[in-house]
Amino acid sequence: PSIPMFTYNPDGTVATANYSNFDALASPFINGIGTPNGAKLTSIALPGTPFGAGTDPAKRLNGFKNIIQHIKEKGWFDRLFDYSWDEPTVAEYTKVKERTDLIKAADPAIPRQITLRFTPELEGYVTRWTPQINDILAHTTQIARGVSYPDSAVYETRKMLGEQVWWYQACPTIGCFIEGKEYTQGWPNFIVEYPAMANRIF
């Protein structure tokens, strides 16, 4: 009930746009009104597909453009981004490119984020690289074994080009569904049974 609601003309342009529910629900959190100590949402993600657009290319593009324009009018554009793909496999790179091209066509200034280490095949498509922490830093167990590790300076190059670099922790560094062994120890994380210092490192 909170997403922007659209109807479309035969040519795929937006006929009507209803943001009443979206604004009513989202505004207090985005503007910090009625939240503890004025806390505000720092990020606003574009939807996977605009309401009612389905797979129609024109409807999808125009729906996104309409959302972006509304967000700009509300003064929230600096927090808008697209979570373009989550941990894509090589086989999904074509779909990643299709998605990021669509968002670039809607507005090239919107960060296009994927949860993946820097990948030359996606250069020019992604503007917010988000590798897992173990794709940036080597673990002490790896260093002790003399394992070579990719030079993290590549991310300094990406930043100099105006791109962003975020990072996160996930199953490889905590041992999801298994009893964690030596490799899974010592990484920053938000797991409740780990020492609070692991949270603070973030």
Side-chain angles (χ1 to χ4, degrees), residues 61 65 100-108:
L61 178 59
K65 285 183 175 181
T100 52
D101 276 343
L102 172 63
I103 301 305
K104 188 188 300 186
D107 193 314

Side-chain angles (χ1 to χ4, degrees), residues 123-166:
E123 187 172 0
Y125 295 93
V126 178
T127 62
R128 183 181 286 174
W129 301 95
T130 311
Q132 295 185 41
I133 184 63
N134 57 307
D135 283 333
I136 299 178
L137 300 174
H139 193 272
T140 52
T141 58
Q142 294 173 296
I143 295 171
R145 296 199 311 271
V147 174
S148 61
Y149 208 76
D151 186 356
S152 60
V154 66
Y155 296 109
E156 297 304 318
T157 301
R158 304 323 303 172
K159 288 190 283 186
M160 285 190 291
L161 292 171
E163 298 173 0
Q164 297 178 340
V165 180
W166 292 23

Side-chain angles (χ1 to χ4, degrees), residues 21-87:
N21 288 340
F22 173 80
D23 288 345
L25 183 66
S27 291
F29 297 100
I30 299 173
N31 293 328
I33 301 171
T35 58
N37 303 309
K40 300 179 182 180
L41 286 177
T42 59
S43 298
I44 306 168
L46 283 170
T49 301
F51 177 83
T55 59
D56 185 289
K59 291 180 180 179
R60 295 181 72 198
L61 178 59
N62 289 311
F64 279 130
K65 285 183 175 181
N66 197 285
I67 293 171
I68 293 164
Q69 183 59 38
H70 182 79
I71 294 294
K72 286 181 176 179
E73 291 171 357
K74 300 292 286 188
W76 302 334
F77 185 71
D78 61 326
R79 287 175 272 181
L80 190 63
F81 79 105
D82 185 59
Y83 194 159
S84 302
W85 210 272
D86 181 59
E87 299 182 351

